[in-house]
Amino acid sequence: MTDANDDKRRCGWCGGDTLYQAYHDNVWGRPVRDGRELFAKLCLDGQQAGLSWITILRKQDNYYRAFADFDPVAIAAFSDADLAERLTDPGIVRNRLKVESIRRNARAYLAMLDAGDDFAAFLWSFVDGKPLIHRWSRLDQIPAVTPQAEAMSKALKKRGFNFVGPTICYAFMQATGLVMDHLTDCHCFDACVAEAEAFAPIGAKS
């Protein structure tokens, strides 16, 4: 798609919203190595269940404020009263199960660390440690779910995470660069392919 404000071609899903375009250009599909950052992004992706991602993107700063910059230790210590207070915050999605899921996921994340598991290596293991580079020419070619996303979902649930269904996991994989799904005519395609190809492998297949 051609942006109304410039001549750059972008993947059609980001439309003409400047916030969405900036996310598409600078974040989506860029490989993330840091476990804390991956934890935050996984929690945020879970918040979009039943909603559009732009809804969460517009509230992202509010989530970081409400949830201690996604510090797992701080979140894991939240009391039920702390969570109830978040449910009064109009800056986030005030869904009880979704709010509770962030604390649950923080505790699951810390349990993995306590067991000696590296969260980033665990997640990257589902793509053998390097980004999967796809070469889609149309949006309707991009899957909503893949076997890797299904395997990730199953493994995360086994470790105590929730709001991590296969569709959410694939959206997360796209967002964090585990898979590179920019369309071939997108202006980000070549740069993201180069970044994916240069990515130093992390982890090992689980």
Side-chain angles (χ1 to χ4, degrees):
M1 131 169 211
T2 302
D3 173 30
N5 301 314
D6 58 40
D7 61 358
K8 294 178 180 176
R9 294 187 66 84
R10 295 181 169 90
C11 303
W13 54 260
C14 68
D17 185 291
T18 56
L19 178 65
Y20 224 0
Q21 290 176 347
Y23 171 77
H24 165 275
D25 291 357
N26 303 310
V27 178
W28 196 78
R30 309 283 178 166
V32 176
R33 304 182 70 94
D34 181 74
R36 274 277 303 273
E37 186 177 352
L38 288 164
F39 164 75
K41 288 179 177 291
L42 184 65
C43 288
L44 286 168
D45 264 303
Q47 299 299 296
Q48 75 168 309
L51 303 169
S52 64
W53 172 243
I54 187 61
T55 299
I56 304 304
L57 185 60
R58 288 171 177 153
K59 297 176 180 290
Q60 182 171 264
D61 290 345
N62 297 327
Y63 272 99
Y64 274 89
R65 171 184 51 75
F67 290 93
D69 287 326
F70 282 98
D71 177 353
V73 174
I75 297 170
F78 278 9
S79 66
D80 289 347
D82 291 327
L83 295 185
E85 182 180 350
R86 269 78 189 160
L87 287 170
T88 68
D89 187 341
I92 66 171
V93 175
R94 290 180 286 182
N95 176 290
R96 181 178 59 82
L97 293 178
K98 288 183 178 181
V99 167
E100 289 176 349
S101 78
I102 295 178
R103 181 178 67 181
R104 175 173 172 170
N105 290 348
R107 291 174 176 176
Y109 172 89
L110 293 176
M112 287 185 66
L113 296 189
D114 288 344
D117 296 324
D118 182 282
F119 190 62
F122 163 77
L123 293 172
W124 277 96
S125 73
F126 295 98
V127 291
D128 294 337
K130 278 187 70 73
L132 295 179
I133 300 172
H134 295 140
R135 298 178 185 277
W136 315 115
S137 59
R138 304 189 316 273
L139 285 177
D140 61 8
Q141 294 175 314
I142 303 176
V145 175
T146 63
Q148 294 94 337
E150 290 174 341
M152 179 186 288
S153 173
K154 182 177 180 180
L156 284 167
K157 289 176 181 178
K158 183 176 180 181
R159 285 161 175 79
F161 291 81
N162 70 347
F163 280 92
V164 288
T167 302
I168 287 174
C169 282
Y170 194 66
F172 165 77
M173 293 169 76
Q174 293 173 306
T176 56
L178 275 75
V179 297
M180 205 299 293
D181 273 355
H182 282 281
L183 298 181
T184 53
D185 67 349
C186 174
H187 82 96
C188 294
F189 180 80
D190 289 340
C192 285
V193 167
E195 194 169 344
E197 290 178 340
F199 186 83
I202 182 171
K205 188 171 178 63
S206 60

